[in-house]
Amino acid sequence: MIVDLPSTSTAAIGKQLVQLRNEVGALALGRVLTLIVVVDDDAADEAVEIATEASRQHPCRIIVVISGSRRGANRIDGQIRVGGDAGASEVVIMRLFGKLAEHGQSVVTPLLLPDSPVVAWWPREAPSDLRHDPIAAMATRRVTDSAECSHPRAMLTRLAETYQPGDTDLSWTRITLWRGLLAAALDGPPYESVTAATVAGAPDSPSTDLLAAWLAWALRVPVTREDTQAGSGICAVGLERSSGSIDLARPGDLVATMTQPGQPDRRISLRRRGDAECLADELRRLDADETYADVLRKGSARLGHHEGSQPLGRGERVEARGRTRAAQPCGATSDGRRRGRLLALNRRHDHPRQGFRVHPDEAPRHPVDLSHRAHRPDHEGAAVMSEHPTNAPLVVVHPDKQGVSDAAGARLLLALLDTLCVRDDAHVVLTGGSLGSDMLASAGRSPLARLVDWSRVHLWWGDERYLPDGDPDRNETQNRAALLDHLPLDPAKIHGMAGPDRSDSAEASAAAYATELRAHGGGLFDVVLLGMGPDGHVASLFPQHPAQLVSDAIAVAVHDSPKPPPDRVSLTFECLARSRQVWLLVAGADKAPAVCRALTPGAQRWDVPAAGVRGLDATLWLVDVEAASELPS
Ligand code: 6PG
């Protein structure tokens, strides 16, 4: 429903909102936040569309403040949208004229929802100094978009100079997947230090600048920022390492190719993130993004275009010490070599694994985005990042196996509720083993289970025994009995791995599963659940088993499994790594040695597969006291 209110007032708008709420029954004060959008007329329609889309899974009140002509009498032309296109949100659009156009905050304040956080978003030009902007002052988080400003690099410089906790920029949000892939890229031998990095992208791409700054800050190695053709976004990231250089190149907008020594090229979906998706990400978190702050201020400085020197000129390349070079077309290099080098996170096999903490019975921190733990120079002077950023394992200890099941079940339900707030569907990878089913049974007993819109949940399996549908030894059969068959799931979204009744071989089943996963977006999971065997295996990836070595596939056939039955199908490490969160569910004294080995500095996944799985945002070990008994206190 759309209600136009020409020449109106905020009081009239407020009254109309209450009336509409009664009529339409729009979700009202149950909203989770207020999103204020500050935009000029020419960008208003698109901004409203993006904000509405971003809030679709995240009901909120959207207040759009549009500055109209400053000449003439003061006037507010209002419009209210509820229900229908506004989704679960309510949208209040106000066009301000005359002197009012300079005082947006005066019309916003009366419409703010009581006791609810405020996020402010400037889709185009943002105030020169957010610290002195009255609408910014109302907001817990302030979202700018330097890519939409007339001078992106100068904007980044300004943002760095005026940063306050709660500030963020969509150019930073747009590089989450790049950062996630880099974080996952080196999860396997050889673990070598980064010695230099290159980031290539359009001269008008602040995301490229921020990615280069992130690398310069985190790795403290020479980072070359190469300019490609304008409008091409980020093209490539690369890394020099002693065993040879690596490329992660995306010449187009959708698919990247990762090339590294001794491995076949891998094609990875890496589409350019839309504004609605990025804004939805920012609506999901209200805490300050410290990594963004560090990268903006410290990383940029290391790139030489922040510390008082001239902002990066267009079509120029900046080296770590501030030199620039001519632009190149995206995907090509001045000397014809493939552009850029993948920067991989520094990680040496002997680098002490920092970051895992044991919290008895304490809810782990909210999964954080891809930021960095502390890093420190290694003996070569290059910074060695302590493990993966942010997603260093977090270990939560529960009193017993039932506690692990109950906690995992509750977390899964909450993770689904959170995910379905911001995305149309959720993708979860289930696990076999006793805990895999126990946790589902626990989830089924929780009152939270009825709050989940199960019709939007895709279920996958990390592995499956190569047995016919319905066989009692199949993980799917056990999971169905534990819960799935009692849920209103969409059968088309239950993706079981084919057994001999539906495929000619485990190899064919693995290939078919990969096809199915690609058909549903290529596999960026929200949560991967994994049990772990006493030998440290996860899914059906066993210690020193050749199936581990398959790295250019989504799923792999496993034969001669040390755990019966001998034939299985498993997701590969590479596929398991493409998940926002990875949770390992482990209980029992027999698992204690493997838990300790998996979390010990330098653990190699070849020997302890559980050491080789990490989430892009968070890695969580839910263990009982017995399984944790060999961990250092
Ligand atoms: C399987 C499982 C396997 C399981 C572990 C732990 O197919 O066997 O996927 O990886 O998760 O062996 O099993 P428990 O939780 O029963 O110890």
Side-chain angles (χ1 to χ4, degrees), residues 481-523:
L483 175 62
L484 308 188
D485 284 348
H486 313 295
L487 291 176
L489 290 158
D490 177 350
K493 295 178 180 175
I494 304 177
H495 307 282
M497 291 176 164
D501 55 330
R502 289 194 287 129
S503 62
D504 297 336
S505 66
E507 284 71 12
S509 173
Y513 210 61
T515 303
E516 182 158 357
L517 195 52
R518 287 194 192 95
H520 289 85

Side-chain angles (χ1 to χ4, degrees), residues 431-435 463 465 475 531-533 537-539 563 568 591:
T431 178
S434 54
L435 267 173
D463 70 329
R465 291 89 182 272
N475 294 332
M532 186 192 78
H537 80 260
V538 288
K563 177 178 180 181
R568 294 155 167 260
K591 310 285 178 77

Side-chain angles (χ1 to χ4, degrees), residues 6 18 39 43 50 96 102 129 138 154 165 177 211 235 252 297 299 385 393 415 451 475 484 509 586 621:
V18 171
V39 67
I50 291 169
L96 309 180
E102 304 288 343
D129 188 339
M138 300 175 185
L177 289 181
L211 197 53
C235 286
R297 293 184 294 184
M385 274 199 261
L451 301 180
N475 294 332
L484 308 188
S509 173
V586 191
W621 285 70

Side-chain angles (χ1 to χ4, degrees), residues 401 430-438 461-465 473-475 478 529-542 561 563-565 568-570 585-588 590-591:
K401 184 171 185 178
L430 299 177
T431 178
S434 54
L435 267 173
S437 292
D438 290 356
W461 272 269
D463 70 329
E464 188 55 275
R465 291 89 182 272
D473 278 347
R474 274 176 66 92
N475 294 332
Q478 294 167 18
L529 294 157
L530 292 168
M532 186 192 78
D535 59 358
H537 80 260
V538 288
S540 287
L541 300 170
F542 293 89
S561 157
K563 177 178 180 181
R568 294 155 167 260
V569 178
S570 179
L585 318 179
V586 191
D590 63 328
K591 310 285 178 77

Side-chain angles (χ1 to χ4, degrees), residues 356-364 394-405 407-408 411 584-588 595 599 620-633:
F356 82 76
R357 294 184 301 285
V358 179
H359 288 277
D361 262 354
E362 185 185 320
L394 193 63
V395 181
V396 181
V397 181
H398 295 285
D400 51 30
K401 184 171 185 178
Q402 189 57 49
V404 173
S405 298
R411 287 176 191 285
L584 292 105
L585 318 179
V586 191
V595 168
L599 288 168
L620 185 59
W621 285 70
L622 296 177
V623 301
D624 70 352
V625 169
E626 287 185 348
S629 57
E630 295 193 15
L631 284 177
S633 55

